Amino acid sequence: MWELTALLLLVPSSGQAATLEKPILSLHPPWTTIFKGERVTLRCDGYHPLLLELRPISTLWYLGHLLLPSHKKSIEVQTPGVYRCQTRGAPVSDPIHLSVSNDWLILQVPYAAVFEGEPLVMRCRGWYDKVVYKLHYYHDGQPVRYFHSSANYTVPQARASDSGRYQCSGTMRIPVESAPMFSAKVAVTVQEAGHAAAVRLLQIQSRRAPLRLGRRVHRPRARGRGAGIALVRGCYRQPQRPETQPLAAASGAGFSPGRGVHYRPGPTGRGFGAR
C-alpha cells in the first residue's frame, strides 16, 4: 500500500513530466584526438524517472545537427565532429568535439574540463602506438619537458597560467629513426577553481530524482500500537518517542512539519497526516 502511495506522490498533480537536468556525456578513452580508423565510445548518463513513465527512456544522439540512428546508452564512433546526446524530457547535453588525424604524431588532451588544483595530463602518441623518442612537450612555443621515449606529461596541480596551446615533437623508428616530427597544436584551458564546485554539484544533481514530494518518517509511537509510516514534505530528525500530545508540543519533539502537512486525530490517538 505504501509503495502505491509513494508512486502517486511522485506524479505531479498537473500531469506534466518533471523537468530533468541535462545528461552527462563522457568519452572513453578520454582523449579528444584519435588516429584515422580508430574508434572511441561515447556514453550518455542521465536520470531515468521510471516511476514517472513506465516505458523505457530512449537516448537520442546528435552529430552536429544530424540525428544518429542509435538509441542505446553508449555508442562507438570514429567520425570527427561535435557530438551531443539527449534523454527523453531532458535538455541536450554539453558537446564533445572529436578530432581524427592522419599525422604520424598527435597530442592527446582530456575531453573534460580541467580546474585549478587538479592534475592536467596529456600524452604524445605515435602512429598506432609506435614508440616516440627524443620527446619534447611545448607550451605556447616554449619547451617545458623532455623524455627519452614515450611518456605522459603531467602538471600535478594546474593553474590558470597553464592554459595555452600545447604541442609535442619526437622521432620514430620506421624502421630507421626519422627526422623530428611535430604534432598539431592543441588549446588547453584551465578553469578557475570557483567553477569546480558548481560543476560537481550539477553532475551529482543530474543523477538524482528531479521530484521529491515526500519522505518516509516514523510518527510517534502510541501506547499499545506499532510504529506507523507517514509520507510528508518537511524535515525529519531523530524522534524522541514522545507520548501522544497536542500538535504544539509534538512539533518540538524531533519533527518539523513542512508545507502541506496538517494535524488530524487518529481513531485511537493523535497522529500526523499529509495532504
Side-chain angles (χ1 to χ4, degrees):
M1 176 179 179
W2 291 113
E3 288 73 14
L4 178 59
T5 304
L7 176 60
L8 293 176
L9 284 175
L10 284 170
V11 178
S13 58
S14 63
Q16 297 178 351
T19 301
L20 304 180
E21 297 288 346
K22 60 185 176 182
I24 303 298
L25 180 59
S26 56
L27 177 65
H28 311 275
W31 311 109
T32 56
T33 303
I34 60 175
F35 287 115
K36 185 176 181 180
E38 292 184 321
R39 305 177 72 91
V40 293
T41 300
L42 291 169
R43 180 183 175 91
C44 188
D45 289 302
Y47 179 75
H48 290 180
L50 298 179
L51 289 179
L52 296 179
E53 192 167 1
L54 298 180
R55 63 183 181 222
I57 304 279
S58 63
T59 302
L60 300 179
W61 290 95
Y62 303 94
L63 173 56
H65 298 290
L66 176 66
L67 180 63
L68 300 179
S70 177
H71 296 285
K72 296 181 179 180
K73 190 174 182 179
S74 61
I75 59 174
E76 286 190 347
V77 297
Q78 59 181 3
T79 304
V82 180
Y83 289 87
R84 293 180 176 87
C85 71
Q86 184 179 21
T87 55
R88 183 175 301 151
V92 179
S93 70
D94 291 330
I96 285 182
H97 300 253
L98 182 65
S99 299
V100 176
S101 175
N102 282 323
D103 296 336
W104 283 99
L105 208 60
I106 59 175
L107 179 62
Q108 295 182 310
V109 298
Y111 75 94
V114 178
F115 297 93
E116 289 182 324
E118 295 181 343
L120 169 61
V121 181
M122 61 189 73
R123 70 173 181 173
C124 191
R125 187 169 167 228
W127 177 261
Y128 281 90
D129 294 321
K130 287 184 178 295
V131 178
V132 180
Y133 297 95
K134 300 177 182 178
L135 174 58
H136 290 269
Y137 286 92
Y138 303 88
H139 178 209
D140 289 335
Q142 301 298 318
V144 291
R145 192 65 189 270
Y146 170 81
F147 296 97
H148 174 69
S149 60
S150 295
N152 293 350
Y153 172 55
T154 302
V155 179
Q157 292 184 323
R159 298 173 296 176
S161 59
D162 292 314
S163 299
R165 298 179 67 81
Y166 286 84
Q167 189 180 28
C168 68
S169 70
T171 63
M172 285 184 288
R173 296 172 183 174
I174 45 178
V176 297
E177 188 168 351
S178 67
M181 294 179 287
F182 289 81
S183 72
K185 295 181 179 180
V186 179
V188 174
T189 301
V190 179
Q191 302 188 25
E192 295 181 4
H195 296 297
V199 171
R200 298 292 183 267
L201 180 61
L202 288 175
Q203 291 176 343
I204 295 173
Q205 185 63 28
S206 66
R207 293 176 172 86
R208 294 179 178 174
L211 189 63
R212 307 183 193 287
L213 297 184
R215 296 182 182 177
R216 289 193 175 191
V217 300
H218 292 274
R219 63 186 177 191
R221 184 189 299 270
R223 291 179 180 175
R225 300 184 64 84
I229 298 291
L231 290 174
V232 299
R233 186 176 186 175
C235 177
Y236 174 67
R237 299 190 301 273
Q238 182 64 32
Q240 300 175 9
R241 300 179 62 183
E243 299 297 334
T244 303
Q245 51 188 290
L247 177 62
S251 62
F255 175 78
S256 174
R259 183 173 54 190
V261 177
H262 68 281
Y263 171 73
R264 59 174 171 79
T268 58
R270 298 187 174 115
F272 291 108
R275 290 194 180 99

